[in-house]
């Protein structure tokens, strides 16, 4: 997924972090590249909106949802542990199909990563000062649609029907 194409922006108009599973580790004593990038975007660039955007057919979320063996990729296995909350929530739901389980994992992970990013001090301050908004989106690659998290209901709705989630 190319965020600039989906949002119809020119290169450089968006400050983008891309990684496997759209993971944002909770803030901790050993901040990594994601933490440093989030802090820089919020504190130095004064970013006003952060979007955690999952997408259909995400290999990382599919691996988690289907319990794929990743023993041959220990770094990936360790990285995906940042989605454990999403996995536990998704596993507690009775999904009618494997595809529904995977789609549910993508959505649960967006919610989990929004919760993780709220633990970052710069993000917490930006939200408290009402100068930063968080958004959760899921992009369907096949049909080009975007769903946005309606935090009041906890459900994902078409972005066009959720004006509070549009940037």
């Amino acid at each position: 997924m190319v965020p600039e194409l989906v949002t119809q922006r020119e290169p450089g108009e968006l400050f983008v972090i891309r990684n496997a599973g759209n993971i944002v580790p909770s803030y901790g004593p050993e901040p990594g590249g994601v933490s440093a990038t989030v802090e820089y975007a919020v504190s130095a660039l004064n970013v006003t909106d952060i979007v955690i955007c999952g997408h259909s057919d995400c290999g990382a979320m599919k691996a988690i949802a289907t319990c794929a063996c990743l023993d041959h990729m220990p770094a990936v296995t360790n990285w995906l542990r940042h989605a454990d909350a999403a996995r536990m929530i998704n596993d507690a739901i009775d999904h009618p199909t494997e595809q529904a389980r995977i789609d549910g994992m993508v959505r649960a992970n967006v919610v989990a990563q929004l919760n993780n990013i709220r633990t970052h001090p710069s993000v917490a301050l930006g939200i408290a000062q009402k100068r930063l908004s968080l958004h959760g989106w899921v992009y369907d690659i096949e049909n080009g649609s975007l769903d946005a998290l309606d935090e009041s209901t906890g459900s994902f709705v078409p972005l066009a029907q959720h004006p509070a989630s549009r940037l």
Side-chain angles (χ1 to χ4, degrees):
M1 185 190 124
V2 180
E4 292 82 0
L5 293 177
V6 171
T7 59
Q8 299 178 1
R9 300 287 184 231
E10 294 296 322
E13 286 187 274
L14 302 177
F15 192 76
V16 179
I17 303 171
R18 295 176 69 175
N19 62 48
N22 55 279
I23 300 287
V24 180
S26 295
Y27 191 81
E30 296 179 29
V34 174
S35 296
T37 303
V38 167
E39 183 176 84
Y40 182 77
V42 173
S43 299
L45 299 179
N46 297 313
V47 166
T48 59
D49 292 275
I50 295 176
V51 177
I52 305 291
C53 187
H55 63 85
S56 62
D57 203 31
C58 175
M61 294 304 106
K62 182 176 182 178
I64 294 170
T66 62
C67 299
C69 179
L70 300 175
D71 291 346
H72 62 293
M73 294 186 282
V76 172
T77 299
N78 188 50
W79 179 250
L80 294 181
R81 287 196 178 105
H82 295 290
D84 280 352
R87 180 187 49 78
M88 289 187 74
I89 291 166
N90 196 55
D91 284 352
I93 298 168
D94 185 25
H95 298 282
T97 66
E98 184 172 275
Q99 188 59 53
R101 175 176 298 285
I102 295 165
D103 293 344
M105 186 65 210
V106 169
R107 284 165 171 69
N109 188 55
V110 168
V111 174
Q113 301 316 313
L114 285 167
N115 290 334
N116 286 352
I117 201 167
R118 286 182 176 98
T119 68
H120 291 246
S122 60
V123 171
L125 178 61
I127 292 170
Q129 293 177 339
K130 300 190 184 326
R131 60 180 172 80
L132 179 65
S133 297
L134 301 181
H135 311 274
W137 292 358
V138 173
Y139 178 66
D140 187 309
I141 294 171
E142 186 175 331
N143 67 29
S145 66
L146 266 173
D147 288 341
L149 176 63
D150 179 343
E151 292 204 63
S152 66
T153 65
S155 62
F156 284 84
V157 298
L159 183 62
Q161 295 175 11
H162 195 333
S165 290
R166 285 187 260 161
L167 303 181

